[in-house]
PDB file of all heavy atoms in Angstrom:
ATOM      1  N   LYS X 193      92.725 234.139  -5.193  1.00 93.00           N
ATOM      2  CA  LYS X 193      94.085 233.729  -5.480  1.00 93.00           C
ATOM      3  C   LYS X 193      95.081 234.852  -5.226  1.00 93.00           C
ATOM      4  O   LYS X 193      96.199 234.610  -4.768  1.00 93.00           O
ATOM      5  CB  LYS X 193      94.198 233.279  -6.945  1.00 93.00           C
ATOM      6  CG  LYS X 193      93.552 231.960  -7.222  1.00 93.00           C
ATOM      7  CD  LYS X 193      93.683 231.566  -8.694  1.00 93.00           C
ATOM      8  CE  LYS X 193      95.105 231.300  -9.082  1.00 93.00           C
ATOM      9  NZ  LYS X 193      95.223 230.857 -10.483  1.00 93.00           N
ATOM     10  N   GLY X 194      94.674 236.056  -5.514  1.00 90.00           N
ATOM     11  CA  GLY X 194      95.569 237.195  -5.300  1.00 90.00           C
ATOM     12  C   GLY X 194      96.053 237.241  -3.861  1.00 90.00           C
ATOM     13  O   GLY X 194      97.245 237.396  -3.594  1.00 90.00           O
ATOM     14  N   THR X 195      95.108 237.076  -2.957  1.00 92.00           N
ATOM     15  CA  THR X 195      95.426 237.090  -1.530  1.00 92.00           C
ATOM     16  C   THR X 195      96.460 236.022  -1.203  1.00 92.00           C
ATOM     17  O   THR X 195      97.467 236.273  -0.531  1.00 92.00           O
ATOM     18  CB  THR X 195      94.155 236.807  -0.721  1.00 92.00           C
ATOM     19  OG1 THR X 195      93.174 237.740  -1.121  1.00 92.00           O
ATOM     20  CG2 THR X 195      94.419 236.942   0.753  1.00 92.00           C
ATOM     21  N   LEU X 196      96.170 234.848  -1.701  1.00 95.00           N
ATOM     22  CA  LEU X 196      97.044 233.710  -1.465  1.00 95.00           C
ATOM     23  C   LEU X 196      98.476 234.022  -1.906  1.00 95.00           C
ATOM     24  O   LEU X 196      99.438 233.881  -1.142  1.00 95.00           O
ATOM     25  CB  LEU X 196      96.487 232.536  -2.268  1.00 95.00           C
ATOM     26  CG  LEU X 196      97.200 231.204  -2.208  1.00 95.00           C
ATOM     27  CD1 LEU X 196      97.475 230.828  -0.775  1.00 95.00           C
ATOM     28  CD2 LEU X 196      96.359 230.153  -2.897  1.00 95.00           C
ATOM     29  N   PHE X 197      98.604 234.503  -3.129  1.00 96.00           N
ATOM     30  CA  PHE X 197      99.948 234.736  -3.656  1.00 96.00           C
ATOM     31  C   PHE X 197     100.617 235.930  -2.999  1.00 96.00           C
ATOM     32  O   PHE X 197     101.832 235.977  -2.853  1.00 96.00           O
ATOM     33  CB  PHE X 197      99.898 234.915  -5.170  1.00 96.00           C
ATOM     34  CG  PHE X 197      99.817 233.608  -5.907  1.00 96.00           C
ATOM     35  CD1 PHE X 197      98.610 233.080  -6.309  1.00 96.00           C
ATOM     36  CD2 PHE X 197     100.977 232.882  -6.150  1.00 96.00           C
ATOM     37  CE1 PHE X 197      98.539 231.862  -6.965  1.00 96.00           C
ATOM     38  CE2 PHE X 197     100.922 231.658  -6.812  1.00 96.00           C
ATOM     39  CZ  PHE X 197      99.694 231.157  -7.217  1.00 96.00           C
ATOM     40  N   ARG X 198      99.830 236.914  -2.592  1.00 93.00           N
ATOM     41  CA  ARG X 198     100.456 238.045  -1.926  1.00 93.00           C
ATOM     42  C   ARG X 198     101.012 237.628  -0.574  1.00 93.00           C
ATOM     43  O   ARG X 198     102.051 238.071  -0.139  1.00 93.00           O
ATOM     44  CB  ARG X 198      99.467 239.200  -1.759  1.00 93.00           C
ATOM     45  CG  ARG X 198     100.190 240.493  -1.415  1.00 93.00           C
ATOM     46  CD  ARG X 198      99.284 241.700  -1.593  1.00 93.00           C
ATOM     47  NE  ARG X 198      98.178 241.428  -2.491  1.00 93.00           N
ATOM     48  CZ  ARG X 198      96.985 240.967  -2.103  1.00 93.00           C
ATOM     49  NH1 ARG X 198      96.749 240.744  -0.829  1.00 93.00           N
ATOM     50  NH2 ARG X 198      96.042 240.738  -2.987  1.00 93.00           N
ATOM     51  N   ALA X 199     100.302 236.719   0.075  1.00 94.00           N
ATOM     52  CA  ALA X 199     100.719 236.315   1.414  1.00 94.00           C
ATOM     53  C   ALA X 199     101.945 235.406   1.403  1.00 94.00           C
ATOM     54  O   ALA X 199     102.750 235.435   2.319  1.00 94.00           O
ATOM     55  CB  ALA X 199      99.556 235.619   2.123  1.00 94.00           C
ATOM     56  N   PHE X 200     102.064 234.597   0.353  1.00 95.00           N
ATOM     57  CA  PHE X 200     103.133 233.597   0.389  1.00 95.00           C
ATOM     58  C   PHE X 200     104.076 233.634  -0.799  1.00 95.00           C
ATOM     59  O   PHE X 200     104.975 232.810  -0.890  1.00 95.00           O
ATOM     60  CB  PHE X 200     102.535 232.202   0.526  1.00 95.00           C
ATOM     61  CG  PHE X 200     101.766 231.996   1.795  1.00 95.00           C
ATOM     62  CD1 PHE X 200     100.389 232.144   1.828  1.00 95.00           C
ATOM     63  CD2 PHE X 200     102.429 231.690   2.970  1.00 95.00           C
ATOM     64  CE1 PHE X 200      99.685 231.970   3.001  1.00 95.00           C
ATOM     65  CE2 PHE X 200     101.730 231.508   4.152  1.00 95.00           C
ATOM     66  CZ  PHE X 200     100.348 231.658   4.171  1.00 95.00           C
ATOM     67  N   GLY X 201     103.853 234.567  -1.701  1.00 94.00           N
ATOM     68  CA  GLY X 201     104.784 234.686  -2.817  1.00 94.00           C
ATOM     69  C   GLY X 201     104.522 233.710  -3.944  1.00 94.00           C
ATOM     70  O   GLY X 201     104.155 234.091  -5.028  1.00 94.00           O
ATOM     71  N   ASP X 202     104.706 232.454  -3.665  1.00 94.00           N
ATOM     72  CA  ASP X 202     104.399 231.434  -4.656  1.00 94.00           C
ATOM     73  C   ASP X 202     104.135 230.108  -3.949  1.00 94.00           C
ATOM     74  O   ASP X 202     104.151 230.034  -2.717  1.00 94.00           O
ATOM     75  CB  ASP X 202     105.531 231.303  -5.672  1.00 94.00           C
ATOM     76  CG  ASP X 202     106.847 230.972  -4.996  1.00 94.00           C
ATOM     77  OD1 ASP X 202     106.842 230.754  -3.767  1.00 94.00           O
ATOM     78  OD2 ASP X 202     107.881 230.935  -5.675  1.00 94.00           O
ATOM     79  N   ARG X 203     103.913 229.102  -4.745  1.00 95.00           N
ATOM     80  CA  ARG X 203     103.575 227.798  -4.176  1.00 95.00           C
ATOM     81  C   ARG X 203     104.640 227.327  -3.192  1.00 95.00           C
ATOM     82  O   ARG X 203     104.338 226.882  -2.094  1.00 95.00           O
ATOM     83  CB  ARG X 203     103.417 226.788  -5.306  1.00 95.00           C
ATOM     84  CG  ARG X 203     102.936 225.441  -4.852  1.00 95.00           C
ATOM     85  CD  ARG X 203     102.863 224.475  -6.020  1.00 95.00           C
ATOM     86  NE  ARG X 203     102.658 223.111  -5.565  1.00 95.00           N
ATOM     87  CZ  ARG X 203     101.477 222.554  -5.370  1.00 95.00           C
ATOM     88  NH1 ARG X 203     100.389 223.252  -5.587  1.00 95.00           N
ATOM     89  NH2 ARG X 203     101.366 221.314  -4.951  1.00 95.00           N
ATOM     90  N   ALA X 204     105.889 227.458  -3.608  1.00 94.00           N
ATOM     91  CA  ALA X 204     106.972 227.018  -2.737  1.00 94.00           C
ATOM     92  C   ALA X 204     106.925 227.764  -1.403  1.00 94.00           C
ATOM     93  O   ALA X 204     107.186 227.178  -0.350  1.00 94.00           O
ATOM     94  CB  ALA X 204     108.310 227.236  -3.426  1.00 94.00           C
TER      95      ALA X 204
END
Side-chain angles (χ1 to χ4, degrees):
Chain X
K193 287 179 66 177
T195 306
L196 180 49
F197 280 95
R198 195 166 338 91
F200 297 96
D202 58 5
R203 186 183 169 89

